[in-house]
Amino acid sequence: MFVSDFRKEFYELVHNQRVLLFVASDVDALCACKILQALFQCDHVQYTLVPVSGWQELETAFLEHKEQFCYFILINCGANVDLLDILQPDEDSVFFVCDTHRPVNVVNVYNDTQIKLLIKQDDDLEVPAYDDIFRDEAEDEDLSGSDSEGSEPSEKRTRLEEEIVARTTKRRQRREWEARRRDILFDYEQYEYYGTSSAMVMFDLAWMMSKDLNDMLWWAIVGLTDQWVHDKITQMKYVTDVGILQRHVTRHNHRNEAEENMLSVDCTRISFEYDLRLALYQHWSLHESLYNTSYTAARFKLWSVHGQKRLQEFLADMGLPLKQVKQKFQSMDVSLKENLREMIEESANKFGMKDMRVQTFSIHFGFKHKFLASDVVFATMSLMESPEKDASGTDHFIQALDSLSRSNLDKLYLGLELAKKHLQATQQTIASCLCTNLVTSQGPFLYCSLMEGTPDVTLFSKPASLSLLSRHLLKSFVYSTKNRRCKLLPLVMAAPLSIEQGTVTVVGIPPETDGSDRKNFFGRAFEKAAESTNSRTLHNHFDLSVIELKAEDRSKFLDALVSLLS
Amino acid sequence: MDAAEVEFLAKKELVTIIPNFSLDKIYLIGGDLGPFNLAYPWKCPFGWPINLKQRQKCCLLPPEWMDVEKMEQIQDQERKEETFTPVPSPHYMEITKLLLNHASDNISKADTIRTLIKDLWDTRMAKLRVSADNFVWQQEAHAKLDNLTNRHMDQCNQIKNPEINPQTYEHLIFDKEAKLAQATTFLI
């Protein structure tokens, strides 16, 4: 059931108990976790934190810990499947689920006792009505009606006939109801999409309790920006949420304007910026940033020589000397940096890039440290998905979680360096895929498969990195192809996961259109294709559109998918 | 006494807070505390506000003397005089440090105040060293220094003068209660 008053029905229940926190492995979940941890620390709540990256880890961790806890909080996992079925908990366990995955499973919505959803109901949820899906089983007993002890044969016959007629009508009604139910559920669960960021939900809870701080606001901003970077929400929703956060930012940070009441330099200051959408440009050189941001790389077609010449033209149009542009941004001439944003926007408009600037936020503390929200998202994501084999997944998670605190700036800078390598690897892989025509049309969708020997392929075995690569590849492909029909197709991407086990990670991305609502049907499609061909798949990730597949089953899986979708 | 004890003693000082919760009076061994009234400024012994601020349950107000103009005046006066001038509060160093570390967002112009307090401290320490130096050279037996704080005395107890003849063990012991500095020379 949906929790209406987060404070009374969630926080008051939880704050004098020991709770177990399951946190999924994405940046939004990390930010929500940080906010919740800060609230717990203020109130001395005892909690245990378990990072989980998939359903199997969730189940094993649950089995380990279920004896010790009654209250479980799940962040960014668990809303889109039947939790009680998967976890088989005891009767007195209560689960609080704060998840962005939609659609929310109907069992989770209509269970009143054990599952409480920390989800705002004004998100367009469109949950089907209760009566359409659940039917009292007691009604069916009437079907097996008692054989009447008729006295007279004629009466018996008419009564039997009546009973038969009644039974058949009931059976027919039941079949119709079931068919309708299947249709409703199919429509409801067909498309996967994402709702409001969990970090924003947690920040709302903190605000309701008047415990919100600037730091928590920053984490909420980073959570929202993570959704935007990964194209999980529509542009309109992003702008609406930015508006909501901007009100909070003004409320916390209005003192910066007045001269008499100046804050200490060490205090965090968040400000709203209408800044360039070039990734990491303030911590890199402008040239590298233009090269490695998917927006500019796709539109300039930087994988071709012609595209690189256009980039040079672009820089020349703005009057920026190449030498300045190639050195670190912080060492660029101040005269060039002053009007940089406006200059770039003007020139970008001439070259057909209308959305060069986006609404975002930046944080500022000390004399030196200034970060945009997207910088922090890239850094944290790279820390969490770095391909070092010696550290376990939990270590990466903890490192990424630490990098979000203000006191661990060295980790954040390390994350920024990793993010730069990551972005470069992504663009190089895209360039090689496009130049060697690895993206083929299979009919109802495009397909691309990364070979084992590709450089940096270990980087792309993790789901978030692979999804990001696929989205950027699709965007670049749309600009590179002349075939009008291909531009509207979705993309299925495969990358090798483990050579010993012979598995590949497969990811499905919805088509790239301007007004797209980011709804992804690949989750259900993959399930059905796997069933029909008996392929050995593992639907382990919380995003149903990412699966693991045995390499030998790849071709029959794809054939099944083609026939399913055409 | 060492720095931790000095800080502990400073926590008896009263500081104004604006709590964001309400609570009745609490009866503790050291005295009563409360009642806390929502959004009503109230003076509270210093140990509590820091803890409450860390748990985001209150807003701290800077004491009256923690103001840029007043501090500048005190600083000027200190520089002009040769002896020690009265300090704004007997625990000014400790209070400033704790407030600026934990609640700098509640204090306006926190950086300027930090610089001014540091200047004041440096001036006073310099005076202390000069007077200790004079005292040793003139071989006096008693010296009286007014207006020293706990922290100063504690700092001085740690000064070991290398110029003194190592055959004579001299300890400069500053007695707190009498607020006098009595130097006792042990000749061994």
Side-chain angles (χ1 to χ4, degrees), chain A residues 443-462:
Chain A
F445 57 87
L446 300 165
Y447 175 69
C448 177
S449 165
L450 290 182
M451 294 295 125
E452 240 147 67
T454 326
D456 303 312
V457 80
T458 47
L459 202 59
F460 300 121
S461 56
K462 305 272 167 79

Side-chain angles (χ1 to χ4, degrees), chain A residues 186 190-191 441-447 485 488-493 506-511 519-530 532-533 545 556-566:
Chain A
F186 179 74
Q190 188 185 26
Y191 288 101
S441 164
Q442 299 284 326
F445 57 87
L446 300 165
Y447 175 69
R485 204 182 73 84
L488 301 170
L489 292 178
L491 171 69
V492 171
M493 182 112 187
V506 181
V507 141
I509 306 286
K519 291 201 178 187
N520 194 343
F521 52 79
F522 277 109
R524 304 288 157 197
F526 283 165
E527 265 178 39
K528 289 210 179 110
S532 61
T533 56
S545 56
K556 60 176 178 173
F557 180 79
L558 282 174
D559 290 334
L561 206 58
V562 170
S563 51
L564 195 65
L565 292 175
S566 43

